[in-house]
Amino acid sequence: RRRLYSAFDRVVVHTRKGAEQLEAFGVPPEQVVRIPHGTFNAPTAESIEPPRGRTLLFFGLIRRYKGLDVLVRALPEIPNARLVVAGDPLDSVKPVQRLAQELGVADRIDWRLGYLPDEEVETLMREATIVVFAYRSGESASGTLATALGHGRPVVVTEILGETVREYGAGLVVPPDDPVALAEACTRLLANKAALAEAFHGTEWARKALSWPAIAEAHERLYADLQAKVAAG
């Protein structure tokens, strides 16, 4: 990997954490450029309605590292909340379904397993109050997070994805593998209209700042800078 990275003049990452990881791996800091991940906006982004209700959404490919079990453990402590689990299970969800039965929350979970076409994603996001990312590990950028922000949905994430959420004030950040902290954060957004509205405004800021034209311009500036350096010898 060191030989691979050394073959390039620049390496683009989405987050500061990604840059720090590469630098710790031995990539020179001047070789690393941060360009954030753009948001995947709803077709009707200009008319997105603020969230309401008490629906939590767990969305995307279902893998153990994404912490669905942690969210289910938190659910008993989130009063009157409904959880929708939507996505393709690449890891078995049967242990989590058994856990939900043991905790007495199975009747509060709506399982929508399988591939999700775009029109169904639109509906899920519109019906969700907040989208929860209980990741226990993984990368510091996420396409599903970009989708939630692009659809104007406040989020609760673990520190794994915390950088973007903090930067734009689009939700709350909690430690990984901590169902108590996860429950408290979800409850705060569901019960506090002001906090939910503030997070919703954060998603609007993220959509504007992380538009694909803005991301394209950042790459074009990078390419122009490299061309200028090559021309200068």
Side-chain angles (χ1 to χ4, degrees):
R1 289 182 66 182
R2 284 189 176 89
R3 288 197 300 271
L4 176 66
Y5 289 134
S6 67
F8 298 95
D9 295 295
R10 296 290 184 275
V11 180
V12 176
V13 296
H14 292 313
T15 63
R16 295 183 185 89
K17 181 179 179 182
E20 291 167 359
Q21 288 171 332
L22 284 183
E23 290 168 20
F25 191 68
V27 180
E30 63 273 13
Q31 190 179 338
V32 181
V33 178
R34 177 187 177 241
I35 300 178
H37 195 307
T39 57
F40 296 125
N41 294 359
T44 55
E46 295 77 13
S47 59
I48 290 175
E49 295 184 359
R52 55 182 179 274
R54 299 186 66 82
T55 299
L56 309 175
L57 175 61
F58 182 100
F59 165 73
L61 293 176
I62 301 173
R63 303 298 304 266
R64 186 181 179 278
Y65 76 85
K66 293 187 177 182
L68 176 57
D69 59 313
V70 182
L71 178 53
V72 170
R73 290 184 187 280
L75 192 56
E77 305 304 320
I78 309 173
N80 304 315
R82 167 177 170 261
L83 170 61
V84 176
V85 179
D88 207 357
L90 299 188
D91 294 333
S92 175
V93 297
K94 289 183 179 179
V96 183
Q97 291 174 325
R98 287 196 296 269
L99 175 63
Q101 291 282 357
E102 294 168 3
L103 295 174
V105 294
D107 60 341
R108 295 168 56 190
I109 303 177
D110 179 5
W111 298 90
R112 304 186 191 181
L113 304 179
Y115 171 75
L116 298 171
D118 289 344
E119 58 271 18
E120 190 169 341
V121 172
E122 295 295 315
T123 301
L124 285 168
M125 291 293 171
R126 188 167 55 249
E127 294 175 349
T129 312
I130 58 177
V131 186
V132 184
F133 297 86
Y135 286 29
R136 49 168 51 93
S137 62
E139 300 298 328
S140 54
S142 162
T144 48
L145 174 60
T147 301
L149 297 179
H151 286 71
R153 285 306 168 254
V155 296
V156 172
V157 305
T158 64
E159 290 285 353
I160 307 302
L161 297 176
E163 181 177 315
T164 300
V165 177
R166 284 198 178 98
E167 185 170 352
Y168 295 99
L172 299 176
V173 181
V174 300
D177 261 324
D178 191 337
V180 174
L182 191 64
E184 290 175 350
C186 291
T187 300
R188 178 182 169 190
L189 286 183
L190 292 175
N192 187 323
K193 291 183 179 179
L196 187 64
E198 182 178 354
F200 175 67
H201 289 311
T203 70
E204 293 180 320
W205 182 22
R207 282 202 308 278
K208 293 174 182 176
L210 303 178
S211 69
W212 286 103
I215 301 303
E217 288 174 7
H219 281 87
E220 288 174 345
R221 287 194 298 271
L222 170 60
Y223 301 152
D225 178 63
L226 288 174
Q227 285 182 322
K229 285 181 169 58
V230 169

